[in-house]
Amino acid sequence: MDELSQHLKCLKLCSGEADDEKQILQSLSGILLALDEDIQNSSKSLIECDILPDLAKILTANPTCTEKATHVLAELSKNGEIQEHLIKLDVITSLVRILTDYPENDPLVRVCLLAISNLADLDSAKEALSKTSITRQLVKQLKRAENHERVEIIIKVLQALAENDALKLQLVDASLQETLCEIIQRLQDSVQPEEMCTMKSSSDLIVSLLLGDESMQKLFDNGNGIVYKNISFWLSSRHTLLQMTGALTTANFARNDSNCVRMVQLGVVHQLLDLLEQHVENGDVAVQHAALSALRNLAIPVMNKVQMLKEGVADRIQMLLRSEMPPVQFKLLGTLRMLTDGQADAAMILGQNPMMLTRLVQWCETKDHVGVRGEANRLLASLLRYSKSQDVVKAVHWAKGLKHLVSMTTSEHAIMQNEALIAMAIASAINLELVEEDFKESELVSILHKILEDESMGPEVKYNSLGLLCSLLDSDVLRRDMELVNMKQTLEKMCAHSNSNVVKQANTVLQILTSSSPHSGHFFA
């Protein structure tokens, strides 16, 4: 450590002298050696000696010593305790200037990139970098990089910068996406591990650029951007990595309605379905998950639902019902539910498909994945709600699906409770005689009674419970169940509820309940 102290003392004495270059270089070499042997203690000595400002000066004031000084900074920047101090000394500006002034000095560029790489994860560094020309310089370096190590260092820095929205936009403006697409195209047929690693990091970086709304929209450019133009090629690639890139890119572009409509017009839906067909049997789960995420997003705009149904998406996507992978099942159910949302035709097609209903009921019973169970129940409710079809009610009844909707009313999620209640009210209104036995066996009336008695239950759930009760009143069997739980007394309580809609609905049910039924005697008189 005494030798290090001498080097530090010498550096402080010489740093302002242009004719002491040899001595400065010797001191910097000694400091590097000390850092290599014991970075923690050596870093501490440098801070105590207040040498960092002198190093920062050498970066710009002494070109001959720049490489060595940058190397020292690159080593020091590994120390988290020193990083913020270096940023306050504005070494970021100096490092970017070095890249700008000496772009073809490979040894100097290498240590400069290492220093920036070590600092780039800090928010303060990103803020400082956003005020420089770093994005243009890095894209230039990426274009000229010829070895794997250099490319990976640059992409690592770019990945860190892409976490910042301002820098993300700057990267897009610097046409980073074009360089990345060129790298992917160049390496697509390679089997070399290093080159495949570069292809993956390039693909990941493209996806990162899409995570910002503004940068994503610039890249989309109404379907004319270079990234979007590559999607078709990636989705049809034999390379799983590129298939994943294509699916993730599509899903990220499909974050607003106008993009979704444009992409459906451009034909991406069937490309996604073609990809999914490749992976049905023992396929890549991640690729299926990403492709289904994209399809679900594309199905959100109403006009897309109509168009996708015309193109037979509801039929083609059912191939995935065979999947035994919960993540794929979950995404498939969500996609189908999005397609049927408000669409009677889709609900009719799916709601009368025996294979679909058999699989749905199986998934409604699964214990292994709560998300799959929840989505299966929600899709089942959607089929009844939006089809409003006698045939669908019969199909769900024969598939033994109604009991799962009864169970769904006990969900901890109000949205699921309401969906189940509305679906069963519609089924009851369509064919009460068919469904009443299922509801009795599942103790539906008892569950509705508990919901109405539960003071913590929200008014919308109670309102829909009352609506369902009203649709059950023509059933002698279910009215007897209401008598057993003293439903009349509960309804009288509801007539004093704080929510006016609940009160109105309770009064309606109570009036019908206390009147004579065409099938039975006068209950609760």
Side-chain angles (χ1 to χ4, degrees):
M1 198 54 69
D2 288 342
E3 190 175 341
L4 175 60
S5 299
Q6 289 178 355
H7 287 308
L8 294 174
K9 184 177 179 182
C10 177
L11 196 61
K12 287 191 74 68
L13 290 172
C14 300
S15 61
E17 313 260 344
D19 56 349
D20 285 334
E21 289 176 356
K22 186 176 179 181
Q23 211 161 358
I24 292 171
L25 285 169
Q26 286 178 345
S27 297
L28 290 170
S29 295
I31 292 168
L32 274 173
L33 189 61
L35 287 168
D36 188 51
E37 291 175 352
D38 187 351
I39 190 168
Q40 286 301 120
N41 286 322
S42 297
S43 298
K44 187 177 178 183
S45 296
L46 265 68
I47 294 173
E48 290 173 351
C49 189
D50 196 27
I51 202 70
L52 298 183
D54 299 287
L55 280 171
K57 287 178 189 174
I58 293 171
L59 282 179
T60 54
N62 203 319
T64 307
C65 304
T66 297
E67 181 187 338
K68 195 73 76 174
T70 305
H71 196 172
V72 172
L73 281 173
E75 293 300 314
L76 284 172
S77 60
K78 295 175 183 176
N79 187 329
E81 297 175 6
I82 292 179
Q83 289 174 338
E84 288 290 356
H85 193 41
L86 290 172
I87 292 164
K88 286 176 183 175
L89 289 170
D90 199 25
V91 298
I92 290 287
T93 302
S94 300
L95 292 169
V96 175
R97 189 178 298 123
I98 290 168
L99 283 179
T100 307
D101 294 345
Y102 308 101
E104 296 185 6
N105 184 330
D106 286 338
L108 180 53
V109 167
R110 177 182 173 277
V111 290
C112 190
L113 289 170
L114 287 171
I116 294 173
S117 174
N118 291 335
L119 296 171
D121 285 330
L122 274 67
D123 289 339
S124 53
K126 291 187 182 78
E127 182 66 26
L129 286 164
S130 70
K131 298 170 184 174
T132 70
S133 64
I134 186 63
T135 54
R136 292 197 303 276
Q137 302 310 322
L138 289 174
V139 172
K140 284 179 185 176
Q141 288 298 327
L142 186 58
K143 284 180 178 178
R144 66 181 295 274
E146 293 181 353
N147 65 72
H148 173 72
E149 182 197 14
R150 177 67 55 84
V151 170
E152 285 303 309
I153 291 172
I154 296 169
I155 289 181
K156 180 187 174 188
V157 176
L158 289 167
Q159 191 67 263
L161 301 191
E163 294 171 5
N164 177 282
D165 285 342
L167 285 164
K168 223 189 294 266
L169 275 174
Q170 290 179 27
L171 290 169
V172 172
D173 289 338
S175 298
L176 171 61
Q177 61 277 8
E178 293 181 12
T179 305
L180 294 172
C181 287
E182 288 169 6
I183 290 172
I184 291 170
Q185 186 173 6
R186 187 175 74 245
L187 302 179
Q188 61 179 310
D189 296 322
S190 176
V191 292
Q192 297 297 320
E194 286 187 347
E195 292 185 339
M196 291 178 71
C197 179
T198 296
M199 189 163 66
K200 183 180 187 314
S201 57
S202 299
S203 299
D204 290 344
L205 185 49
I206 285 174
V207 175
S208 293
L209 293 177
L210 292 168
L211 297 180
D213 288 341
E214 203 172 340
S215 57
M216 178 272 288
Q217 208 56 45
K218 275 195 170 189
L219 288 170
F220 184 63
D221 189 23
N222 198 36
N224 296 312
I226 185 70
V227 174
Y228 188 80
K229 286 184 175 180
N230 272 278
I231 283 178
S232 178
F233 161 69
W234 292 335
L235 290 175
S236 60
S237 170
R238 62 178 178 78
H239 208 303
T240 303
L241 170 62
L242 293 186
Q243 293 172 357
M244 173 69 90
T245 303
L248 287 175
T249 302
T250 306
N252 276 288
F253 277 135
R255 291 208 309 269
N256 65 53
D257 284 4
S258 61
N259 288 5
C260 288
V261 171
R262 180 66 177 142
M263 284 192 281
V264 169
Q265 290 171 349
L266 292 171
V268 75
V269 169
H270 285 287
Q271 293 170 353
L272 288 166
L273 289 167
D274 290 343
L275 175 61
L276 284 167
E277 283 179 348
Q278 293 178 37
H279 290 272
V280 173
E281 302 294 342
N282 304 313
D284 189 285
V285 174
V287 170
Q288 293 177 75
H289 196 270
L292 284 167
S293 293
L295 279 175
R296 184 195 176 281
N297 287 358
L298 290 167
I300 292 173
V302 173
M303 66 184 298
N304 274 9
K305 295 183 207 295
V306 174
Q307 184 61 33
M308 289 167 77
L309 288 169
K310 281 182 182 176
E311 295 180 15
V313 171
D315 290 325
R316 284 193 70 187
I317 203 172
Q318 289 181 62
M319 61 190 164
L320 288 168
L321 290 170
R322 304 198 299 271
S323 175
E324 295 298 333
M325 305 304 296
V328 176
Q329 295 167 356
F330 179 74
K331 279 293 179 183
L332 171 64
L333 290 164
T335 304
L336 290 170
R337 188 165 60 81
M338 186 57 66
L339 273 172
T340 59
D341 185 23
Q343 300 301 307
D345 289 345
M348 286 278 286
I349 292 169
L350 299 176
Q352 296 179 76
N353 184 309
M355 180 184 173
M356 162 69 71
L357 292 176
T358 299
R359 207 64 168 117
L360 264 188
V361 170
Q362 288 174 1
W363 287 336
C364 284
E365 296 170 350
T366 185
K367 301 288 192 296
D368 298 332
H369 197 290
V370 65
V372 170
R373 187 168 70 246
E375 280 294 335
N377 277 288
R378 295 187 74 185
L379 178 55
L380 196 60
S382 290
L383 298 179
L384 289 169
R385 179 178 183 177
Y386 295 116
S387 70
K388 297 181 175 64
S389 160
Q390 176 85 250
D391 293 331
V392 173
V393 173
K394 287 179 180 177
V396 173
H397 162 72
W398 290 116
K400 302 189 183 308
L402 291 169
K403 64 182 179 182
H404 296 295
L405 295 180
V406 176
S407 297
M408 190 176 165
T409 61
T410 64
S411 169
E412 60 186 19
H413 304 292
I415 189 169
M416 291 181 66
Q417 289 179 287
N418 286 319
E419 287 170 0
L421 292 165
I422 292 168
M424 287 190 289
I426 289 169
S428 303
I430 291 171
N431 195 334
L432 180 57
E433 186 178 353
L434 182 69
V435 301
E436 65 178 350
E437 194 57 39
D438 289 336
F439 288 164
K440 178 171 178 55
E441 288 178 5
S442 303
E443 300 181 353
L444 174 59
V445 170
S446 177
I447 290 171
L448 294 176
H449 181 253
K450 287 175 185 175
I451 289 173
L452 295 173
E453 287 285 346
D454 187 347
E455 293 183 3
S456 67
M457 201 66 69
E460 189 177 359
V461 175
K462 292 196 173 186
Y463 178 85
N464 286 323
S465 296
L466 289 165
L468 175 54
L469 264 181
C470 196
S471 70
L472 302 178
L473 290 173
D474 280 340
S475 165
D476 289 351
V477 172
L478 297 175
R479 282 179 71 125
R480 289 191 191 97
D481 285 351
M482 293 178 205
E483 182 182 33
L484 290 172
V485 297
N486 200 0
M487 187 68 79
K488 179 183 175 184
Q489 185 179 26
T490 300
L491 290 169
E492 287 169 346
K493 285 184 194 175
M494 289 294 98
C495 291
H497 196 275
S498 59
N499 183 281
S500 59
N501 288 328
V502 170
V503 170
K504 185 177 179 181
Q505 190 83 311
N507 272 313
T508 300
V509 179
L510 188 60
Q511 286 172 17
I512 299 171
L513 185 62
T514 53
S515 66
S516 295
S517 162
H519 308 295
S520 62
H522 189 71
F523 284 92
F524 312 126

